[in-house]
Amino acid sequence: MPAFPGLEIESDETVWQGRFPLQVIRFRHARFDGRRSGLRTWELWRRGRAAALLPYDPIADQVVLIEQFRLPALAAGVDPLMVEIPAGLCDPGEDPAATLIREAEEEIGLTPRRILPIGDFVLTPGGCDERVAIHVGEVTAPPGGADGLVGRAGLQAEDEDIQVRVWPAVTAIDAALEGRFPNSVTALALLWLAARRDRIRELWKKTT
């Protein structure tokens, strides 16, 4: 745990050592009023760094999104067939830019020609240290069927079952604005695109 002014760690125990460790930490910290907090106990799930890419075609004005089954979403009471952008955890010491390029190649079969950062976000600050770097990447969207369906992808070694679909950018943005994407990373990326779409199209068309 990095040092922080006013933070005192009383105990730190790893209670689960699976793929992602779970720690139970007892601590005190400085309150905003200057007093010491009472003894607090938090569970901390250690997932680490991640990266995600919004694949955007500025010429066709389309985004490439994926769909896959997420058991935790079902547990949360939402549709487990989630619409997402390609994403994954960084290997130890790996730069997030390398991660998102690898994930895009594995999950949609595309390599972005260039990328721009959107932001770096802690997804669940109340219980998990996962921090995801989101970028937008320039791609050429593959042709899709009448419903935008391109096909299926994913690593067989990881038993991934991913469906790839092309969306008109305005349709995907409208869905995000209407709250129809409960996946926070997808929503963040598309809401950013809503604010920056014209600027990105102009920039990438000029430098193509």
Side-chain angles (χ1 to χ4, degrees):
M1 182 68 62
F4 186 79
L7 175 66
E8 296 176 1
I9 304 295
E10 300 256 342
S11 65
D12 183 347
E13 180 185 5
T14 300
V15 297
W16 171 254
Q17 192 63 270
R19 182 184 178 196
F20 305 111
L22 179 66
Q23 293 171 261
V24 174
I25 301 174
R26 301 171 76 235
F27 65 98
R28 302 178 192 272
H29 65 92
R31 292 166 46 94
F32 289 117
D33 61 11
R35 294 183 295 142
R36 304 298 300 157
S37 72
L39 184 62
R40 310 187 71 181
T41 302
W42 275 16
E43 293 82 18
L44 175 58
W45 190 28
R46 292 287 200 169
R47 281 179 56 88
R49 293 289 276 144
L53 180 77
L54 175 61
Y56 178 56
D57 184 331
I59 305 301
D61 198 22
Q62 295 177 323
V63 294
V64 185
L65 304 179
I66 64 174
E67 300 157 14
Q68 55 184 325
F69 178 82
R70 295 297 196 184
L71 186 66
L74 181 62
V78 300
D79 187 343
L81 298 178
M82 304 214 85
V83 177
E84 304 179 348
I85 61 176
L89 293 167
C90 302
D91 290 335
E94 183 178 40
D95 185 273
T99 304
L100 59 86
I101 290 172
R102 181 186 73 241
E103 293 296 328
E105 291 171 346
E106 292 175 358
E107 296 185 355
I108 61 172
L110 298 175
T111 302
R113 289 186 288 277
R114 50 192 156 185
I115 59 175
L116 289 173
I118 290 176
D120 212 346
F121 305 94
V122 179
L123 298 181
T124 315
C128 182
D129 71 341
E130 183 173 359
R131 179 176 154 204
V132 59
I134 307 177
H135 290 63
V136 61
E138 182 191 19
V139 300
T140 298
D147 60 355
L149 184 63
V150 174
R152 291 173 176 80
L155 289 180
Q156 290 187 354
E158 297 180 6
D159 201 27
E160 288 183 324
D161 181 32
I162 294 172
Q163 192 159 258
V164 182
R165 198 180 301 270
V166 174
W167 293 61
V170 68
T171 302
I173 287 169
D174 284 347
L177 290 169
E178 292 166 5
R180 291 194 278 120
F181 293 143
N183 180 286
S184 60
V185 173
T186 304
L188 280 168
L190 289 170
L191 293 173
W192 179 92
L193 186 62
R196 294 287 187 267
R197 178 165 147 256
D198 290 343
R199 185 182 304 178
I200 291 298
R201 292 190 80 191
E202 176 126 8
L203 173 66
W204 282 350
K205 283 180 178 179
K206 282 181 179 178
T207 55
T208 297

